Amino acid sequence: MHSAVHEAIAAVWRIESARIVAGVARLVRDIGVAEELAQDALVSALEHWPLQGVPDNPGAWLTTAAKRRALDHLRHQRMAEARHEDIAQDLRAQQALTVPDFVDALDAARQDPIGDDLLRLIFTACHPLLSADARVALTLKLLGGLSTHEIARAFLASEPTIAQRIVRAKRTLSEARVPFELPRGEALAERLASVLEVVYLIFNEGYSATVGSDWMRPALCEEALRLGRLLADLAPHEAEALGLLALMEIQASRTAARTDDKGRPVLLAAQDRDRWDRMRIQRGLAALARAEGLAQPGGPYQLQAAIAACHARAARAEDTDWARISALYATLMQVAPSPVVELNRAVAVSMHEGPTAGLAIVDALYNDKALRQYQWLPSVRGDLLERLGRRDEARAEFEQAAALAGNQRERALLLERAERLS
């Protein structure tokens, strides 16, 4: 019984933690403190729910518990420091607990055009005081509800390194008393690139989960899409904001086709394209057209969206315009070079020019330290070797990829491919 309740608590926390932290941060104006208070509410749930049962609205229960702790925190500040500002925050916290949420939301909307605590949380976590890596790590922790292990895998970095980044980032924001608000003007543009990167990393974690028993975590994809739409509304003349939205919409259109009826992964070439969501594709293509219409230099998200659009426009896998995709990846390598982009280019080149051409690119990537623990490197190499008829070598590559995979579904898929070559 307790195990089932704990699983329910973990599931609720995954979905609600970001909103809870954001709501509390609006009251206490300190992200580190807000996360601690939210964690206290989680501990309370772990203590009470196994005995009392999971409440009808678990998200509201956790939010109320966290806000009560925020009120206690502000009262303690008032008593310890006796400052007028603390008293004002105390009154605001009391109002947040007693006034209907829609009144609070309307009050916030009068002060900024978006009125979204989650968006404020992202821009606060992406403050220029922090390094780019620290911004992304902190926001993934707060907004995605990801563990340090999951973030480390997303970064291809060690867990201690990520943990230190997160701790230092929260301390820096707290010591600098960074305001919990949406920036304006130049400050908005300054932070937008980091925010877009964070949103896409959250989407990627939902699209292909790094760990666990599920191939995808759709709730994370939906949250990233929601934030992406808000960002596109906030910055309608920024091609990269529109490009990111286009990319996520088109990729999310494949969700229903990416697993079979048993939850097993189905790779792109084998997907039933009739199951792709045509409405999402149209929304993505429309956002891409708006981005391209701004006549700004093509950035990473706009280029990736153009690649996704090539797949979306192909009625069958064999109709895919691999020549254009190869060219787009070549441009992407010039704009935002990375070993992962080069690995994707290798796949496109292999489809356009043949597996030998792709294998040459992949073999060169084995010298890149960042990819040594990246399961898709041996997986792609295994696929190319299989296409070349080098079955024993291909099997070894798939087995190595499976050993590196953190996701159970992904590991099973790779082992299955290895077994077929035995």
Side-chain angles (χ1 to χ4, degrees):
M1 172 63 179
H2 282 198
S3 176
V5 173
H6 288 163
E7 288 178 6
I9 293 172
V12 171
W13 183 250
R14 281 283 197 188
I15 296 170
E16 300 290 345
S17 61
R19 291 184 179 85
I20 296 168
V21 172
V24 173
R26 176 165 44 83
L27 303 177
V28 300
R29 303 286 164 172
D30 187 308
I31 286 178
V33 171
E35 189 180 21
E36 290 175 9
L37 296 173
Q39 290 283 350
D40 287 345
L42 175 62
V43 170
S44 181
L46 290 168
E47 292 173 349
H48 290 91
W49 293 7
L51 300 175
Q52 302 172 0
V54 178
D56 293 336
N57 191 336
W61 192 100
L62 286 167
T63 299
T64 300
K67 284 188 174 182
R68 283 175 177 160
R69 282 159 176 76
L71 178 58
D72 290 341
H73 171 80
L74 292 172
R75 282 176 174 156
H76 178 75
Q77 275 193 330
R78 182 192 60 187
M79 294 172 65
E81 302 175 12
R83 296 193 314 205
H84 291 296
E85 177 58 24
D86 295 324
I87 295 173
Q89 287 183 332
D90 187 354
L91 292 174
R92 286 198 293 271
Q94 288 179 338
Q95 183 183 40
L97 289 171
T98 57
V99 178
D101 285 345
F102 70 86
V103 175
D104 184 62
L106 286 173
D107 182 62
R110 294 187 191 102
Q111 299 176 37
D112 83 57
I114 299 298
D116 190 281
D117 285 340
L118 285 173
L119 207 54
R120 282 193 285 268
L121 180 60
I122 292 182
F123 274 94
T124 303
C126 290
H127 196 279
L129 278 173
L130 306 178
S131 69
D133 287 345
R135 297 175 207 171
V136 177
L138 177 60
T139 314
L140 278 173
K141 181 74 162 59
L142 296 175
L143 269 293
L146 305 187
S147 68
T148 304
H149 172 70
E150 291 168 323
I151 298 170
R153 285 188 65 84
F155 272 116
L156 303 179
S158 69
E159 286 188 54
T161 298
I162 295 301
Q164 289 172 6
R165 284 180 195 169
I166 292 170
V167 169
R168 284 198 298 264
K170 288 190 288 190
R171 183 166 57 241
T172 299
L173 293 175
S174 178
E175 291 174 353
R177 297 184 178 275
V178 170
F180 187 69
E181 63 186 12
L182 276 173
R184 295 286 184 273
E186 292 183 3
L188 174 63
E190 185 179 32
R191 290 194 232 172
L192 185 60
S194 289
V195 173
L196 294 175
E197 182 181 8
V198 168
V199 171
Y200 190 41
L201 281 172
I202 293 173
F203 179 86
N204 274 342
E205 178 58 32
Y207 193 69
S208 295
T210 53
V211 296
S213 58
D214 294 323
W215 175 239
M216 294 178 292
R217 290 163 58 184
L220 277 182
C221 289
E222 289 302 321
E223 186 60 33
L225 275 162
R226 190 186 75 84
L227 292 169
R229 292 180 191 119
L230 285 172
L231 288 168
D233 288 340
L234 182 67
H237 302 298
E238 292 291 337
E240 278 293 82
L242 292 167
L244 175 59
L245 178 59
L247 174 59
M248 294 191 297
E249 291 280 17
I250 294 172
Q251 287 186 317
S253 72
R254 307 174 195 153
T255 298
R258 294 188 72 235
T259 54
D260 63 16
D261 55 1
K262 294 182 180 179
R264 295 174 300 195
V266 179
L267 299 181
L268 180 61
Q271 288 173 16
D272 178 359
R273 300 191 175 209
D274 288 339
R275 299 186 66 195
W276 287 2
D277 188 330
R278 294 295 156 185
M279 185 174 293
R280 283 191 186 275
I281 290 174
Q282 291 305 315
R283 285 204 299 261
L285 293 177
L288 177 59
R290 287 166 58 199
E292 292 173 342
L294 293 173
Q296 297 173 9
Y301 300 115
Q302 185 178 332
L303 288 167
Q304 290 179 77
I307 291 167
C310 289
H311 293 294
R313 292 182 175 119
R316 302 173 302 165
E318 53 266 37
D319 297 331
T320 305
D321 188 350
W322 288 109
R324 175 164 169 73
I325 292 176
S326 297
L328 286 167
Y329 271 123
T331 303
L332 185 58
M333 273 300 293
Q334 295 175 353
V335 173
S338 85
V340 174
V341 171
E342 184 70 349
L343 182 61
N344 281 298
R345 188 177 78 85
V347 174
V349 168
S350 78
M351 298 301 294
H352 177 47
E353 301 178 21
T356 300
L359 187 61
I361 299 171
V362 170
D363 285 346
L365 285 170
Y366 268 81
N367 296 321
D368 196 303
K369 294 180 180 179
L371 287 184
R372 286 180 182 172
Q373 300 301 311
Y374 190 57
Q375 68 274 23
W376 294 114
L377 178 60
S379 174
V380 169
R381 191 168 191 271
D383 183 74
L384 297 175
L385 290 170
E386 182 181 4
R387 288 166 57 191
L388 289 168
R390 296 159 62 178
R391 294 170 62 86
D392 290 343
E393 294 173 81
R395 183 178 69 252
E397 294 290 345
F398 286 130
E399 289 171 349
Q400 181 186 350
L404 294 173
N407 183 279
Q408 295 174 27
R409 297 286 189 181
E410 191 176 285
R411 187 183 307 118
L413 171 68
L414 292 164
L415 288 173
E416 181 182 329
R417 296 196 70 181
E419 181 65 25
R420 285 205 307 265
L421 293 169
S422 295

